[in-house]
């Protein structure tokens, strides 16, 4: 792989006390092109603006998939990736669904390891902070006929990250708009899954909510997911999450949280979860907690859930009594190498460059 290092790092312009998600990128980016059926030209180069023809297919028909993953530092400034192979596999599942070429493992993993190794100074040091890693695959053919592209560009870029949400969330159960549909692309990290939520989320924000809780597109009676998060409910002493299916993103953080919970002896259930069960739990007090989990948000609990114009408050528990806070700490401790790694999720990065 070719490596072109920056002459002058921008790191001194980075304010690590005031991290704003995705506003500052580390010095380098990894790129590889797909042309004539082959992956070629893997390179790490300075992160800078790129030139694309306005006729590039990605801008018109939206062939673009991405991933979200993180690198962490421990107290000795050793660097760890968290379950990177899961992101690699999911990216290729997304690519297949969007009729894009899959990325070979050596391209993905070598690009990733070398990039993070080179930009390791950009990984914030504090507990809960990390370097967010964004792999992105886009269609680069120029042409307007509605066909999959022949050529693609795969990139990996990184941005320092802190808590995505600063406060517990006020959530509205959505009854009109939908995120995904049967046979659709809800299970992928397709870029086009996000923009259609902006309008309903703005409407919800105007009503005083932070986020939407999506329900199934046909009946709006089953809980699916929320914004960039999978959701979990602490219902009658069981941790319940909607079954990841073709409509729900198969979240790596959610999967990890459930494995940790199970290991702690917590009863977990992956199943269809109805809106009425949640509302009943809120009314009768057997829904103790609800939270979202995802790479960017880690775990963020909900303060209120609103349905048909009625606002329900979740119990105002102290942090020590919250299963969400307990599981978040268990997860972050593993990610920051502060505890045993019973599932072998950490990948230590050697100082390679
Ligand atoms: C994630 O949490 O997995 C993400 O990639 C979130 C991103 C869309 C902000």
């Amino acid at each position: 792989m070719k490596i072109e290092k920056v002459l002058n790092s921008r790191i001194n312009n980075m304010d690590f006390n005031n991290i704003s998600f995705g506003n500052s990128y580390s010095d380098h980016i990894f790129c590889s092109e797909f042309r004539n059926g082959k992956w070629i030209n893997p390179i790490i180069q300075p992160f800078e603006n790129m030139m694309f023809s306005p006729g590039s297919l990605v801008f018109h028909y939206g062939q673009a998939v991405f991933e979200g993953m993180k690198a962490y530092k421990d107290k000795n400034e050793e660097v760890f990736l968290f379950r990177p192979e899961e992101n690699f596999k999911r990216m290729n599942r997304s690519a297949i669904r969007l009729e894009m070429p899959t990325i070979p493992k050596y391209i993905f993993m070598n690009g990733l390891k070398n990039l993070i190794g080179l930009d390791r100074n950009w990984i914030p040091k504090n507990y809960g902070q990390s370097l967010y890693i964004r792999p992105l695959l886009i269609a680069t053919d120029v042409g307007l006929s509605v066909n999959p592209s022949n050529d693609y560009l795969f990139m990996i870029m990184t941005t320092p990250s802190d808590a995505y949400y600063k406060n517990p969330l006020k959530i509205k159960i959505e009854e009109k708009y939908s995120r995904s549909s049967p046979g659709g692309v809800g299970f992928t990290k397709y870029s086009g899954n996000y923009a259609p939520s902006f309008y309903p989320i703005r409407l919800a924000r105007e009503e005083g909510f932070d986020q939407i809780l999506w329900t199934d597109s046909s009946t709006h009676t089953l809980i699916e997911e929320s914004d960039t998060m999978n959701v979990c409910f602490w219902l009658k002493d069981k941790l319940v999450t909607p079954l990841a299916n073709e409509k729900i993103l198969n979240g790596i953080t959610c999967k990890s949280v459930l494995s940790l919970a199970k290991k702690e002896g917590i009863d977990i259930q992956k199943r269809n979860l109805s809106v009425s069960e949640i509302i009943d739990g809120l009314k009768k007090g057997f829904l103790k907690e609800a939270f979202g989990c995802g790479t960017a948000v880690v775990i963020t609990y909900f303060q209120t859930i609103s349905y048909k114009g009625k606002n329900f408050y979740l119990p105002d528990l102290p942090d020590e009594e919250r299963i969400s806070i307990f599981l978040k700490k268990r997860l972050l401790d593993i990610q920051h190498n502060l505890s045993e790694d019973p599932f072998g999720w950490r990948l230590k990065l050697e100082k390679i460059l």
Side-chain angles (χ1 to χ4, degrees):
M1 172 188 330
K2 207 164 146 193
I3 297 182
E4 281 175 13
K5 294 190 191 177
V6 290
L7 295 179
N8 296 306
S9 170
R10 288 178 281 100
I11 198 155
N12 291 334
N13 303 336
M14 174 71 210
D15 181 1
F16 282 95
N17 296 317
N18 198 4
I19 296 173
S20 168
F21 188 69
N23 280 9
S24 306
Y25 290 88
S26 69
D27 284 324
H28 299 93
I29 182 169
F30 169 78
C31 298
S32 179
E33 293 162 77
F34 185 81
R35 277 200 248 136
N36 300 320
K38 286 200 178 75
W39 284 100
I40 55 167
N41 300 338
I43 182 170
I44 290 180
Q45 62 192 45
F47 181 98
E48 51 196 25
N49 291 346
M50 292 179 174
M51 293 252 285
F52 293 96
S53 162
S56 304
L57 278 177
V58 63
F59 300 132
H60 300 269
Y61 308 127
Q63 248 190 321
V65 298
F66 69 89
E67 268 304 319
M69 54 204 297
K70 283 177 170 173
Y72 299 83
K73 267 188 181 157
D74 72 3
K75 284 181 182 149
N76 303 320
E77 306 224 351
E78 295 288 356
V79 173
F80 298 88
L81 294 170
F82 183 71
R83 309 190 76 177
E85 289 211 9
E86 293 294 316
N87 296 89
F88 161 71
K89 288 189 220 154
R90 192 173 61 184
M91 182 132 198
N92 279 341
R93 287 198 297 271
S94 301
I96 288 168
R97 178 62 181 82
L98 272 296
E99 192 55 14
M100 301 168 96
T102 54
I103 299 153
K105 193 166 174 185
Y106 73 93
I107 297 262
F108 189 98
M109 293 305 285
N110 287 345
L112 179 66
K113 287 185 197 168
N114 281 288
L115 179 72
I116 306 306
L118 187 59
D119 280 349
R120 60 192 298 138
N121 290 345
W122 288 80
I123 307 174
K125 299 182 182 110
N126 294 337
Y127 189 75
Q129 297 182 331
S130 58
L131 188 68
Y132 181 83
I133 306 167
R134 171 54 61 86
L136 174 69
L137 174 64
I138 57 168
T140 50
D141 262 11
V142 177
L144 293 184
S145 62
V146 182
N147 281 310
S149 185
N150 290 312
D151 298 347
Y152 295 85
L153 178 63
F154 172 56
M155 295 171 263
I156 307 178
M157 61 200 91
T158 74
T159 177
S161 86
D162 203 345
Y164 191 83
Y165 290 118
K166 303 267 185 257
N167 296 309
L169 301 177
K170 300 186 183 76
I171 297 287
K172 176 189 171 185
I173 296 180
E174 181 59 50
E175 289 181 275
K176 178 173 178 189
Y177 300 99
S178 304
R179 176 187 171 274
S180 64
S181 54
V185 290
F187 69 94
T188 68
K189 274 190 99 69
Y190 165 49
S191 300
N193 278 341
Y194 294 81
S197 69
F198 296 165
Y199 176 70
I201 289 174
R202 174 172 63 79
L203 298 182
R205 288 199 173 132
E206 282 171 6
E207 292 178 72
F209 304 109
D210 300 305
Q211 268 308 335
I212 280 173
L213 187 52
W214 296 110
T215 50
D216 69 289
S217 57
S218 2
T219 65
H220 294 291
T221 57
L222 295 173
I223 302 286
E224 293 196 334
E225 60 178 276
S226 177
D227 186 38
T228 66
M229 309 172 277
N230 295 109
V231 286
C232 294
F233 298 85
W234 187 225
L235 198 62
K236 292 187 184 159
D237 295 331
K238 290 183 176 47
L239 194 60
V240 187
T241 192
L243 198 60
N245 54 28
E246 59 178 357
K247 294 192 286 163
I248 301 180
L249 187 81
N250 191 349
I252 296 159
T253 304
C254 186
K255 194 153 85 170
S256 308
V257 164
L258 293 173
S259 301
L260 287 174
K262 197 168 170 192
K263 190 162 184 304
E264 294 294 333
I266 294 166
D267 204 349
I268 62 163
Q269 291 186 344
K270 295 183 209 170
R271 61 170 171 87
N272 282 341
L273 182 59
S274 67
V275 172
S276 57
E277 200 178 341
I278 295 300
I279 300 305
D280 205 34
L282 285 162
K283 282 185 183 157
K284 297 187 179 147
F286 53 76
L287 176 63
K288 293 280 189 298
E289 266 200 88
F291 59 89
C293 42
T295 301
V297 300
V298 191
I299 291 183
T300 302
Y301 66 81
F302 302 161
Q303 185 181 57
T304 61
I305 297 179
S306 161
Y307 186 53
K308 292 196 187 295
K310 197 164 168 12
N311 233 1
F312 297 92
Y313 277 81
L314 284 133
D316 186 16
L317 303 172
D319 277 5
E320 325 62 90
E321 286 175 28
R322 284 190 179 274
I323 191 164
S324 57
I325 301 287
F326 170 75
L327 291 170
K328 181 176 181 177
K329 183 167 183 319
R330 293 282 293 106
L331 182 66
L332 283 173
D333 282 357
I334 292 178
Q335 290 169 330
H336 284 284
N337 192 27
L338 284 167
S339 67
E340 289 292 297
D341 180 18
F343 299 99
W345 288 337
R346 281 192 299 257
L347 177 68
K348 184 171 168 186
L349 278 195
E350 303 306 330
K351 292 193 178 107
I352 32 184
L353 293 166

